[in-house]
Amino acid sequence: QVQLMESGGGSVQAGGSLKLSCEATGFSGRANCMGWFRQVPGQQRERVATVYTYRGRPNYADSAKGRFTLSNNDAGNTLFLQMDHLRPEDSAMYYCAAIPVPRGPWICQDNNLAAWNYWGQGTQVTVSF
């Protein structure tokens, strides 16, 4: 059974930085899809950044490009999201998600939330003016 545990959320002022971490247990290999999604109450959950953890290149939503950096460890079971130049509109609950051993790297770019098999409990990010 795959489990995801997020950490690193908090409150910062606009322009500040936070680093989120997601540790996965239960993966059978190091080639997985992992990613970060976020959700504001009353709005749809949206993709922030995703990656194929075996030599994959991160894929970012437009809102994250140039400000957020996604990375993972070599074992493919820990994901990081470095968030710089944070804005109040980045405030949301951030969720880690995973697709274990996908058919191929392209699966990791799937915006369909139903494609992502496992989700963490979320970590809150609040950015104030």
Side-chain angles (χ1 to χ4, degrees):
Q1 180 72 13
V2 173
Q3 293 186 321
L4 305 174
M5 179 65 70
E6 304 104 333
S7 62
S11 298
V12 295
Q13 290 188 324
S17 298
L18 283 173
K19 185 174 183 177
L20 306 183
S21 299
C22 173
E23 183 175 356
T25 57
F27 282 158
S28 60
R30 62 176 178 170
N32 307 291
C33 292
M34 293 189 75
W36 289 97
F37 294 72
R38 67 186 183 185
Q39 188 171 21
V40 175
Q43 298 184 19
Q44 191 171 10
R45 190 170 298 188
E46 63 177 9
R47 184 178 65 87
V48 177
T50 57
V51 70
Y52 183 64
T53 59
Y54 183 66
R55 300 180 179 178
R57 295 176 61 183
N59 188 271
Y60 297 97
D62 288 343
S63 59
K65 289 178 181 176
R67 300 187 300 124
F68 295 0
T69 303
L70 188 68
S71 60
N72 61 272
N73 67 345
D74 288 341
N77 59 9
T78 305
L79 189 69
F80 306 99
L81 184 67
Q82 176 67 43
M83 304 188 294
D84 299 315
H85 306 293
L86 282 162
R87 306 165 179 165
E89 54 264 38
D90 294 317
S91 297
M93 185 71 78
Y94 283 69
Y95 296 92
C96 180
I99 304 173
V101 196
R103 297 192 306 275
W106 63 90
I107 299 294
C108 306
Q109 300 182 33
D110 198 332
N111 284 322
N112 181 3
L113 300 182
W116 293 80
N117 308 95
Y118 297 96
W119 294 85
Q121 293 297 310
T123 185
Q124 179 68 39
V125 171
T126 302
V127 185
S128 59
F129 288 96

